[in-house]
Amino acid sequence: MSTGTTASGGGAAPDTSPRPGDPADPGAAAAGTGLQQGLKRRHMQLIALGGVIGAGLFVGSGVVVRSAGPAAVLSFLAAGVLTVLIMRMLAEMTVARPALGSFYAHVRETLGHRAGFAVGWLYWYFFVIVVAVEAVAGGRIIRLWLPGVPLWAVSLVLMALLTATNLVSARSYGEFEYWFSSIKVVAIVVFLFLGALYVLGLWPGSSGGLAQLTAHGGFVPEGIGAVLAAVVPCVGFFTGAEIVTIAAAESVEPERAVATAIRSIVLRVVAFYVLSIFLVVAVVPWTSKAIEVSPYAAVLDRLAVPAAGTVMNALVLIAVLSCLNSALYTSSRMLFALTRNGDAPRGFTKVSASGVPRRALLAGTSVGYLSVIAAWVSPDVVFQFLINSYGAIALFVYLAIAVAQLRMRRRLERDEPERLTLRMWGYPWLSRLTIALMALVIGAMAVLPDSRAQFWLSLLTLGVVLAGYEIRRRVRRA
């Protein structure tokens, strides 16, 4: 790729001439980079699926149910549809023009160097904070069984173990993620089966039926406004599906693997999220405080499943470790991709013999370590600031992906229509609608009391990144 030494503002026409690893060189996403194609199709499918099944589903979804009532099902459905549309747009670009860094490269190519720089660094920042958040969450779960061990020590050990895993090879990351995701998928399938038995009256002691959906104030007890407001956090729960497009550079068959993974995620997102939340509100009263703590554990308790709390804690720990594993991988690959255009220091370009950008990986891990220490030293000030400062970043990135697809599709139809083997549905109107809906979600985040602080601090993060771009540009000019 171009080093970008003459890049100016976002309005400058990006250099799109074909070079090794450039999006214009299909199939060469990892060529000349030192990365190795060790991820198989089964890894890619579970990476895509596991990316959206995190601790947010098992724990955070309870907050949404308590705020919107049984109609939270509609909030999850709306967020799921929006996420699927974004993923379809991203898949179209990834399959047509495979690139190291995926959407970072696509945004840079279509929206300019400034936009690419911002998206790449925002996404990197998002995942290095996720590393710390998941490490702390995992530490809290383990301390339920080992109460005498300090939280910071457990969190650092978890980070060190999964960092070591990622340092081995991309295949090592893929294998761990494959099994983590498989366990999560099996657990949700079992949950859906047990919940269905209860609702159908086939579970011992169950009368069956859907009376709980309207028994406590109706299906929409908090009003349609609460349902719409709940879409904002729900979209955040789905963040992670795009990781599969970043992993494509290390896949044996990137175009086919991404296309298959994105197609399969549509039905599974609806089934796993929407159906499981539907069963939660159909089995347990939405007013129950147990739902807010852990909705799935509340259902298992209602079904009198032995050791329900322990089972759910173990499952949430697996979800947390899966997210931590993916966050370490994703942050390292995005930082590595940033170096290809001179958007990050060249020192992070070095790759090990097994094809791992170890310096990039350790850079993200180091920020994670510092953040975990902040969670111990100043949990209510520094760590809370870090959490709020990344809350809306994924939404900013998704909006940029949608706009980039709209522009790239025009170019591809004009210059290279043969590359459009996987297309966005209903182009251009559905693409434009997706952009409008994503902008609406971001706007709602700016005014809703529960998300306002996250929006403005995330906007501050964006401002810092853009200032970094201007500094870099002027230094290069000098």
Side-chain angles (χ1 to χ4, degrees):
M1 280 187 176
S2 168
T3 59
T5 54
T6 58
S8 58
D15 180 4
T16 58
S17 56
R19 300 176 187 179
D22 189 85
D25 187 7
T33 65
L35 299 179
Q36 295 184 4
Q37 296 174 316
L39 297 175
K40 297 181 179 180
R41 198 186 312 175
R42 66 181 178 88
H43 296 136
M44 298 292 282
Q45 289 184 340
L46 269 296
I47 287 170
L49 191 55
V52 296
I53 305 176
L57 172 62
F58 297 115
V59 180
S61 57
V63 177
V64 175
V65 172
R66 286 280 289 175
S67 66
V73 174
L74 300 180
S75 302
F76 276 98
L77 179 60
V81 169
L82 183 56
T83 303
V84 165
L85 292 174
I86 294 289
M87 290 306 105
R88 183 74 180 191
M89 298 170 84
L90 178 55
E92 178 186 281
M93 294 189 292
T94 303
V95 172
R97 297 173 73 82
L100 181 67
S102 182
F103 49 85
Y104 152 68
H106 302 321
V107 170
R108 192 175 192 276
E109 179 187 358
T110 56
L111 305 184
H113 298 169
R114 178 185 286 110
F117 181 94
V119 163
W121 277 108
L122 285 176
Y123 198 72
W124 178 84
Y125 179 76
F126 177 86
F127 271 103
V128 295
I129 300 302
V130 167
V131 167
V133 171
E134 299 297 346
V136 170
R140 286 172 177 162
I141 295 172
I142 290 178
R143 287 189 75 242
L144 295 174
W145 302 310
L146 301 173
V149 182
L151 174 61
W152 64 267
V154 180
S155 299
L156 293 181
V157 168
L158 290 179
M159 287 181 57
L161 289 175
L162 288 175
T163 298
T165 298
N166 275 267
L167 284 171
V168 176
S169 66
R171 184 182 179 87
S172 176
Y173 153 73
E175 283 296 331
F176 270 80
E177 191 56 28
Y178 176 83
W179 291 108
F180 282 148
S181 297
S182 296
I183 293 171
K184 291 187 289 185
V185 170
V186 170
I188 293 180
V189 170
V190 171
F191 177 84
L192 292 174
F193 177 71
L194 298 180
L197 291 179
Y198 187 93
V199 169
L200 294 173
L202 302 177
W203 188 260
S206 166
S207 57
L210 302 174
Q212 293 289 2
L213 296 179
T214 56
H216 303 275
F219 184 67
V220 194
E222 301 296 329
I224 192 65
V227 177
L228 295 175
V231 173
V232 175
C234 287
V235 171
F237 293 151
F238 289 104
T239 302
E242 72 286 344
I243 292 174
V244 69
T245 64
I246 295 175
E250 294 171 273
S251 170
V252 175
E253 40 184 359
E255 296 94 334
R256 188 173 180 182
V258 169
T260 302
I262 294 297
R263 286 191 185 107
S264 66
I265 203 173
V266 176
L267 181 60
R268 294 176 182 181
V269 161
V270 173
F272 290 162
Y273 267 89
V274 179
L275 286 183
S276 62
I277 295 299
F278 174 81
L279 288 174
V280 167
V281 295
V283 173
V284 182
W286 71 273
T287 53
S288 170
K289 290 185 177 179
I291 278 188
E292 190 168 4
V293 175
S294 179
Y296 292 78
V299 171
L300 295 180
D301 281 333
R302 176 60 64 94
L303 272 60
V305 174
T310 302
V311 170
M312 281 310 305
N313 284 334
L315 187 56
V316 172
L317 177 60
I318 290 172
V320 164
L321 294 178
S322 173
C323 291
L324 177 55
N325 188 42
S326 290
L328 288 166
Y329 172 84
T330 307
S331 62
S332 66
R333 269 45 177 194
M334 183 55 71
L335 182 56
F336 180 76
L338 283 162
T339 66
R340 305 298 293 177
N341 295 293
D343 287 338
R346 286 286 179 182
F348 295 119
T349 307
K350 188 174 178 59
V351 175
S352 69
S354 58
V356 176
R358 290 182 175 175
R359 292 182 181 179
L361 176 62
L362 293 175
T365 305
S366 299
V367 175
Y369 285 146
L370 293 175
S371 299
V372 167
I373 293 172
W376 172 52
V377 175
S378 181
D380 299 325
V381 180
V382 178
F383 192 62
Q384 192 62 39
F385 171 82
L386 292 174
I387 291 176
N388 286 331
S389 69
Y390 90 120
I393 284 177
L395 302 184
F396 295 162
V397 172
Y398 279 5
L399 181 60
I401 289 172
V403 175
Q405 184 270 338
L406 199 61
R407 290 197 178 184
M408 182 177 284
R409 176 65 175 267
R410 294 195 199 106
R411 288 188 188 177
L412 289 171
E413 287 188 335
R414 182 183 68 241
D415 303 326
E416 304 169 290
E418 70 280 359
R419 294 195 188 280
L420 289 169
T421 56
L422 186 149
R423 297 169 181 257
M424 172 61 180
W425 309 296
Y427 173 85
W429 302 109
L430 195 51
S431 293
R432 292 170 180 168
L433 178 61
T434 303
I435 292 171
L437 291 175
M438 185 56 67
L440 184 63
V441 169
I442 294 174
M445 197 172 186
V447 298
L448 292 174
D450 292 341
S451 57
R452 192 180 300 146
Q454 291 187 0
F455 171 81
W456 291 107
L457 286 176
S458 296
L459 201 62
L460 174 62
T461 304
L462 173 60
V464 171
V465 170
L466 290 175
Y469 175 82
E470 290 302 320
I471 294 172
R472 164 189 171 277
R473 183 171 66 90
R474 293 184 182 186
V475 166
R476 286 191 166 188
R477 279 186 172 179

